[in-house]
């Protein structure tokens, strides 16, 4: 059985016992107790205990001490009317008191009124029993007539009441809560002894006064008691009020303190939140700073160091080398050959992947102490440390050159790339990374020009380079300086000697160097991209010229001008606009403009060429494949190229002997063109036997010194007016010396510039 049940049971036992004791007391009351003369005083006491006692109890603030008239009333009843009515008084007073307290919510519980009243009745009954027993054994008069027996009776009552009530409270506490008995008794019961003794004293005084039976004394004493009570009550109230105020102030202070603490906690938590946020922001900042730093120093595509990072490293090495000549290094400049073609033919996405493959291969081929960086679109640079000689650096470069050429597959495309590598060995002359890279770049260009793959920088190369830079600058300003002019070489029908058209050939009369042959400046113009604006000028110049010539006579109304177009221009979409503009300005019929594209330029990126030529064809112009036989044509592409004429390279013409020896290739090319339903032009006809042979082989047109060298505008115009017969006798080209083919190919830029 649990504790709750025990306490419930004991509660009902006490109620039952209490009610039984009261019933017993009532039933055994002597008959005279019910006479009016006897009972009126008792009724007064009962009225006092019901109406006054509950309202007059005073509890000392901050203590368990309660001053009430309860005990005094019970004791007084005991002295005046005996134990049985005292039990009844205890019951009635307790009921009134409990109801009064319950209404004020001081005490709670369903049975509390009955339970408390029964308990008080039982304790009073116990006191009655003890007094009764004592009166037998110690001959004490229960109705005391002298002070001695009054003190004895009251003492017994007080002690019994105290012991009974504290034993009862302790017992019930134990049953209900199972708590510590001694502690409870000390805390709750000991102090109640004072209540008992105050009650005893008060009872003694009242009883004594009553025994005098002097109404004046009683009256004065009653007034004094009332005054004492009220002044005491007032002072208790004041104390309570002061304590309440102090408590309120204390509470307020505590509340303020608590609020302050809460605020501090709130502030602390806000602060920690802010700090946390700040930390997060700092972290994000640190990360973005790191990312930014990484982005500033590394290439996003290949994740290799970028130009800046490379420059920083190189600068440190240059400085170190100045202090310590044993700290040698070599810089390699790597350029992927024809990377533009990869981009154009495979697209930029695959182009990027090719760069990533190349980057990985470079890293794999180098030591961890070396550094490879991407310094431009298809340009990479390497720092080789701990390499003492240029020869050793060359070996490393050669290894890279060989390895990078290994073919690989990307999205089912078989790709193979190659690089040109320039090497710049360390030198105390260098002050900045740019200087080293510039020289490695010069060496790379030399390797490219010589098709050697790898080249080491020398001071001679720098001079060559500078000359070339000058040359390029001169070329750039040649148009403005009016140094360019067009010469025109006739294209003759081999069947009847009529003039089919002219090939426009560019001439450069350099201010200081004089006439520079096209095979010297055209490659430089192509490489530098200058060929595009120059060709725009040529297109305009030649079409306008043709327009004038076509008007000379009816015979020339279909005269054609052939303009050479470089591979670089062909891969540029602007070419369409350039041609269209020239046609629009000159107003010549589009089919009288022929564009010559060399076989090698056409085959470089065949798919793109086919697309571009088709678009050009839509403009109505004619197309010709130049220098045919030198460019490794793929037959599958050849038949898809929408050209009109095929121009046999002059090497095939000049190789034919006086008696028609070695003419098989010429024969093959001509029959190939015939099969493809194209017209054939042979260039470089220098002898009558060559002319006769080509005519016999069925070649449609011819161009060569035999008929005419390239002519100035004036000379050609004169010939047009004269209606010259081109197959009769050759005329010479003014301005240029007439080197043979072999002589011309021997001329180099260096020789040319040193003139
Ligand atoms: P090409 O387009 O094949 O031009 C024909 C070249 O052969 C011309 O040389 C011409 O003078 C030369 N030639 C013609 N008949 C004979 C001959 O019987 N014997 C010899 N030995 N040579 C003959 P040129 O004018 O020196 O031009 C050389 C190349 O320069 C041209 O070859 C062409 O590829 C390029 N070129 C010339 N002018 C231009 C131009 O305006 N634009 C472009 N893109 N390239 C041009
Ligand atoms: Mg040509
Ligand atoms: Mg040619």
């Amino acid at each position: 059985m649990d504790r709750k049940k025990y306490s419930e049971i004991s509660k009902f036992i006490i109620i039952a016992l209490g009610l039984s004791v009261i019933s017993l007391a009532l039933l055994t009351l002597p008959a005279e107790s019910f006479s009016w003369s006897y009972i009126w005083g008792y009724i007064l006491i009962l009225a006092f205990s019901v109406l006054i006692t509950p309202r007059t109890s005073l509890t000392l603030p901050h203590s368990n001490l309660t001053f009430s008239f309860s005990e005094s009333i019970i004791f007084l009843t005991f002295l005046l009317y005996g134990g049985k009515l005292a039990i009844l008084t205890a019951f009635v007073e307790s009921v009134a008191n409990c109801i009064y307290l319950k209404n004020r919510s001081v005490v709670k519980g369903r049975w509390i009124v009955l339970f408390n009243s029964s308990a008080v009745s039982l304790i009073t009954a116990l006191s009655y029993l003890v007094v009764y027993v004592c009166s037998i054994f110690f001959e004490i008069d229960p109705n005391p007539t002298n002070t001695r027996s009054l003190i004895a009776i009251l003492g017994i009552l007080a002690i019994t009441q105290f012991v009974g009530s504290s034993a009862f409270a302790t017992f019930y506490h134990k049953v209900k809560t199972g708590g510590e008995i001694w502690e409870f008794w000390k805390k709750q019961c000991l102090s109640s002894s004072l209540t008992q003794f105050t009650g005893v004293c008060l009872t003694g005084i009242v009883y004594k006064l009553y025994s005098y039976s002097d109404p004046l004394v009683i009256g004065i004493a009653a007034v004094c008691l009332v005054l004492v009570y009220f002044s005491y009550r007032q002072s208790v109230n004041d104390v309570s009020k002061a304590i309440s105020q102090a408590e309120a102030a204390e509470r307020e202070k505590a509340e303020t303190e608590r609020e302050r603490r809460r605020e501090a906690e709130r502030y602390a938590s806000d602060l920690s939140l802010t700090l946390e946020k700040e930390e997060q922001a700092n972290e994000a900042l640190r990360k973005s700073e790191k990312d930014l730093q990484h982005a500033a120093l590394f290439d996003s595509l290949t994740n290799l160091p970028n130009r800046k990072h490379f420059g920083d490293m190189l600068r440190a090495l240059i400085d170190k080398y100045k202090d310590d000549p044993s700290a040698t290094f070599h810089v390699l400049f790597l350029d992927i050959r024809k990377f533009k073609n990869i981009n154009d033919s495979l697209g930029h996405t695959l182009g990027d992947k090719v760069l990533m493959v190349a980057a990985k291969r470079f890293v794999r081929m180098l030591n961890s102490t070396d550094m490879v960086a991407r310094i431009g679109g298809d340009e990479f640079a390497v720092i080789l440390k701990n390499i003492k000689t240029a020869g050793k650096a060359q070996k490393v470069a050669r290894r890279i050159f060989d390895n990078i050429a290994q073919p690989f597959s990307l999205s089912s495309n078989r790709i193979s790339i190659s690089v040109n590598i320039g090497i710049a060995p360390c030198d105390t002359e260098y002050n900045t990374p740019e200087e080293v890279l510039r020289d490695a770049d010069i060496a790379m260009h030399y390797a490219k020009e010589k098709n050697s793959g790898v080249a080491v920088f020398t001071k001679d190369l720098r001079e060559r380079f500078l000359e070339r830079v000058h040359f390029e600058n001169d070329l750039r300003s040649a148009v403005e300086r009016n140094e360019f002019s067009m010469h025109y070489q006739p294209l003759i029908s081999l069947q009847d000697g009529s003039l089919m058209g002219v090939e426009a050939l560019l001439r450069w009369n350099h201010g200081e160097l004089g006439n520079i042959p096209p095979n010297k400046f055209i490659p430089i113009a192509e490489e530098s991209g200058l060929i595009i604006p120059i060709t725009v000028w040529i297109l305009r110049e030649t079409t306008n010229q043709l327009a004038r010539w076509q008007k000379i006579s009816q015979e020339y109304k279909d005269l054609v001008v052939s303009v050479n177009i470089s591979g670089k221009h062909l891969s540029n979409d602007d070419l369409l606009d350039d041609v269209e503009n020239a046609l629009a300005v000159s107003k010549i019929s589009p089919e009288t403009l022929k564009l010559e594209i060399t076989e090698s330029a056409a085959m470089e990126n065949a798919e793109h060429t086919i697309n571009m030529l088709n678009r050009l064809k839509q403009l109505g112009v004619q197309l010709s494949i130049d220098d045919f036989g030198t460019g490794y044509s793929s037959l599958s592409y050849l038949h898809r190229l929408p050209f009109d004429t095929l121009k046999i390279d002059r090497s095939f013409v000049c190789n034919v002997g006086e008696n028609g020896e070695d003419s098989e290739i010429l024969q093959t090319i001509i029959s190939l063109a015939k099969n493809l339903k194209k017209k054939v032009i042979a260039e470089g006809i220098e002898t009558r036997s060559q002319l006769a042979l080509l005519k016999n082989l069925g070649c449609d047109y011819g161009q060569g010194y035999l008929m005419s060298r390239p002519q100035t505008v004036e000379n050609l115009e004169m010939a047009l007016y004269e209606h010259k017969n081109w197959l009769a006798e050759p005329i010479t080209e003014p301005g240029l010396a007439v080197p043979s083919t072999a002589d011309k190919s021997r001329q180099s830029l260096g020789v040319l510039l040193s003139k």
Side-chain angles (χ1 to χ4, degrees):
M1 221 189 297
D2 62 3
R3 198 173 302 288
K4 201 171 170 207
K5 214 126 201 168
Y6 269 129
S7 80
E8 285 295 301
I9 289 173
S10 43
K11 191 188 283 178
F12 287 112
I13 290 173
I14 286 162
I15 291 172
L17 285 172
L19 292 177
S20 311
V21 163
I22 289 165
S23 312
L24 195 68
L26 280 173
L27 288 173
T28 54
L29 275 177
E32 78 260 17
S33 308
F34 299 99
S35 73
W36 178 247
S37 58
Y38 182 78
I39 207 73
W40 72 267
Y42 177 66
I43 288 172
L44 219 63
I45 289 177
L46 267 192
F48 185 86
S49 65
V50 170
L51 301 171
I52 308 296
T53 316
R55 288 169 179 77
T56 51
S57 84
L58 289 174
T59 302
L60 283 177
H62 285 279
S63 79
N64 289 328
L65 289 180
T66 303
F67 170 78
S68 83
F69 292 112
S70 308
E71 267 76 20
S72 310
I73 286 295
I74 295 167
F75 296 159
L76 197 64
T77 311
F78 199 97
L79 294 175
L80 296 177
Y81 298 99
K84 289 173 187 171
L85 281 179
I87 293 170
L88 188 62
T89 309
F91 181 77
V92 172
E93 188 278 331
S94 183
V95 168
N97 203 16
C98 281
I99 290 171
Y100 179 80
L101 293 175
K102 201 173 177 187
N103 285 344
R104 274 158 187 73
S105 303
V106 180
V107 293
K108 283 177 199 143
R110 246 171 92 193
W111 299 98
I112 189 79
V113 177
L114 210 53
F115 172 72
N116 276 6
S117 311
S118 302
V120 173
S121 310
L122 276 175
I123 293 161
T124 311
L126 181 71
S127 311
Y128 174 46
L129 200 68
V130 174
V131 171
Y132 179 73
V133 171
C134 288
S135 65
I136 295 169
F137 288 103
F138 303 110
E139 292 175 6
I140 301 167
D141 185 4
N143 301 102
T145 46
N146 56 29
T147 307
R148 182 188 152 267
S149 39
L150 178 65
I151 291 171
I153 295 285
L154 286 176
I156 293 166
L157 279 176
I159 290 168
T160 320
Q161 200 82 0
F162 167 69
V163 172
S165 59
S166 59
F168 178 80
T170 311
F171 164 75
Y172 188 66
H173 166 75
K174 179 76 187 169
V175 171
K176 197 176 172 186
T177 64
E180 185 56 45
I181 292 177
W182 175 240
E183 277 303 312
F184 176 80
W185 184 83
K186 260 197 320 192
K187 208 169 161 199
Q188 298 292 329
C189 305
L190 194 59
S191 54
S192 71
S193 60
L194 207 71
T195 321
Q196 322 291 338
F197 289 104
T198 322
V200 161
C201 294
L202 199 63
T203 310
I205 294 166
V206 173
Y207 186 75
K208 271 282 179 200
L209 288 171
Y210 178 75
S211 303
Y212 276 119
S213 297
D214 184 340
L216 183 68
V217 176
I218 293 172
I220 291 168
V223 171
C224 286
L225 273 177
V226 168
L227 283 176
V228 167
Y229 171 75
F230 278 110
S231 66
Y232 177 69
R233 187 188 174 102
Q234 184 57 40
S235 56
V236 165
N237 281 348
D238 287 349
V239 170
S240 296
K241 212 164 145 192
I243 287 174
S244 299
Q245 275 172 357
E247 272 176 357
E250 199 63 35
R251 264 201 307 280
E252 205 173 305
K253 199 175 150 198
E255 187 52 41
T256 317
E257 203 58 43
R258 259 201 304 283
E259 188 50 43
R260 221 176 272 164
R261 207 169 40 242
R262 272 202 294 272
E263 213 159 272
E265 275 165 10
R266 252 200 317 273
Y267 177 72
S269 94
D270 282 359
L271 201 72
S272 78
L273 214 74
T274 317
L275 282 175
E276 205 173 294
K277 272 187 195 156
E278 210 160 284
E279 184 51 37
Q280 275 168 5
N282 280 345
E283 185 57 38
L285 207 71
R286 270 199 293 278
K287 194 179 171 307
S288 55
E289 214 175 273
K290 225 168 156 186
D291 289 353
L292 218 69
Q293 245 169 34
H294 191 268
L297 296 176
F298 289 84
D299 170 51
S300 57
L301 179 68
T302 58
N303 212 23
L304 290 180
N306 61 12
R307 196 180 190 103
K308 162 140 198 355
H309 196 3
F310 186 84
D312 293 345
M313 283 288 287
L314 194 51
R315 183 170 291 110
L317 288 174
I318 293 168
D319 295 345
K320 194 172 171 201
Y321 181 67
K322 284 198 167 131
D323 299 338
D324 173 12
S326 69
T328 53
F329 65 89
H330 289 76
V331 170
L332 272 51
F333 194 107
L334 304 98
D335 179 80
I336 299 182
R337 284 179 179 174
K338 297 187 175 155
F339 183 69
K340 189 174 182 308
N341 288 351
I342 295 176
N343 260 345
D344 288 346
S345 55
L346 302 177
H348 284 259
T349 314
L350 277 189
D352 283 353
K353 287 191 177 153
V354 169
L355 288 174
M356 282 152 82
V357 171
K360 276 192 188 141
R361 286 190 175 182
F362 292 143
V363 172
R364 257 207 318 271
M365 280 180 261
L366 295 164
N367 288 336
S368 56
T369 49
D370 301 332
M371 182 192 216
V372 56
R374 184 177 173 215
I375 57 168
D378 60 348
E379 292 168 350
F380 293 81
V382 170
I383 298 174
L384 297 176
K385 289 190 213 157
N386 309 324
I387 282 191
K388 297 286 168 217
T389 63
K392 282 184 183 159
Q394 225 169 337
K395 268 189 192 158
V396 176
R398 188 55 66 189
R399 204 174 64 224
I400 294 174
F401 179 81
D402 292 340
N403 275 329
I404 203 78
Q406 303 277 327
F408 57 92
S409 292
L410 261 187
S411 310
S412 68
N413 292 294
R414 196 93 183 120
I415 296 168
S416 126
I417 50 173
S418 62
V419 286
N420 289 306
I421 307 175
I423 303 169
C426 54
D427 196 309
T428 44
E429 211 180 66
Y430 290 131
N431 291 313
T432 63
E434 289 74 29
E435 289 169 2
V436 188
L437 276 173
R438 177 202 62 203
D439 287 352
D441 191 14
I442 290 173
M444 188 279 289
H445 271 95
Y446 185 71
K448 194 177 189 173
E449 199 183 307
K450 294 285 162 217
N451 211 10
S452 60
V454 176
V456 180
F457 173 78
T458 60
K459 298 221 165 102
D460 285 351
L461 285 190
R462 190 187 294 153
E463 264 167 41
R464 243 182 86 98
F465 174 77
L466 289 176
E467 278 171 1
R468 189 181 157 141
V469 169
H470 282 140
F471 193 69
E472 223 176 274
N473 285 340
D474 291 348
L475 199 54
R476 192 164 281 123
S477 51
V479 175
E480 290 143 42
R481 288 202 214 139
N482 233 352
E483 291 176 352
F484 283 136
S485 64
M486 295 314 294
H487 280 195
Y488 296 90
Q489 189 175 26
L491 303 167
I492 311 296
S493 162
L494 295 188
Q495 304 314 314
D496 57 15
S498 64
L499 181 67
M500 181 270 279
V502 286
E503 178 174 8
L505 296 161
L506 183 64
R507 296 293 176 259
W508 183 15
N509 189 5
H510 191 283
E512 293 161 24
L513 304 171
N515 287 323
I516 298 171
N519 57 350
K520 298 301 166 207
F521 70 84
I522 294 284
I524 294 170
E526 283 183 346
E527 220 172 281
S528 61
L530 283 170
I531 194 67
I532 294 178
I534 292 174
T535 306
V536 172
W537 177 83
I538 293 170
L539 279 168
R540 227 176 26 232
E541 192 76 13
T542 52
T543 49
N544 286 338
Q545 186 57 64
L546 185 72
R548 285 194 289 275
W549 285 339
Q550 281 177 346
K551 285 177 199 136
I552 290 177
S553 102
Q554 193 58 16
E555 201 187 324
Y556 304 132
K557 75 173 190 343
D558 293 327
L559 199 68
V560 170
V561 68
S562 275
V563 175
N564 292 288
I565 302 293
S566 76
K568 205 154 213 165
H569 207 166
L570 193 67
S571 62
N572 188 322
D573 280 352
D574 288 350
L575 177 62
L576 290 160
D577 288 342
D578 299 338
V579 171
E580 226 173 352
N581 283 342
L583 290 173
V585 172
S586 63
K587 298 197 178 57
I588 59 164
S589 164
E591 63 277 4
T592 59
L593 172 63
K594 190 183 271 187
L595 306 179
E596 285 191 14
I597 293 117
T598 60
E599 187 192 14
S600 49
M603 289 301 157
E604 200 160 275
N605 187 351
E607 284 300 338
H608 180 264
T609 306
I610 292 168
N611 175 19
M612 191 63 175
L613 293 188
N614 277 322
R615 288 160 77 192
L616 283 169
K617 205 76 198 88
Q618 280 167 11
L619 298 179
V621 297
Q622 290 195 62
L623 300 171
S624 178
I625 295 276
D626 202 356
D627 300 343
F628 187 78
T630 57
Y632 312 104
S633 270
S634 149
L635 290 180
S636 63
Y637 281 126
L638 196 62
H639 88 275
R640 288 173 59 205
L641 291 172
F643 61 94
D644 303 277
T645 44
L646 189 151
K647 214 180 201 188
I648 305 170
D649 188 69
R650 71 166 178 270
S651 57
F652 298 106
V653 177
C654 73
N655 278 345
V656 176
E658 273 303 300
N659 299 314
E661 305 93 337
D662 301 326
S663 63
E664 293 82 5
I665 298 179
L666 273 183
Q667 220 169 332
T668 312
I669 296 174
I670 292 168
S671 57
L672 173 76
K674 296 277 164 198
N675 284 334
L676 291 169
K677 308 221 167 12
K678 314 288 177 193
K679 295 280 181 201
V680 199
I681 305 178
E683 69 178 13
I685 304 173
E686 290 185 356
T687 64
R688 294 219 162 260
S689 58
Q690 288 165 351
L691 177 69
L693 175 78
L694 286 162
K695 198 173 169 186
N696 283 340
L697 289 175
C699 182
D700 302 297
Y701 304 103
Q703 172 185 7
Y705 292 172
L706 178 69
M707 288 80 86
S708 169
R709 284 177 178 272
Q711 297 298 311
T712 60
V713 173
E714 296 76 29
N715 282 356
L716 192 83
E717 204 163 292
M718 209 184 293
L720 288 178
Y721 277 112
E722 285 171 1
H723 295 278
K724 186 178 158 44
N725 183 349
W726 298 100
L727 286 181
E729 52 184 282
I731 48 174
T732 49
E733 180 184 7
L736 274 179
V738 191
S740 72
T741 309
D743 289 344
K744 277 177 111 183
S745 61
R746 247 183 268 123
Q747 255 181 328
S748 75
L749 183 65
V751 174
L752 182 82
L753 293 173
S754 61
K755 267 186 193 175

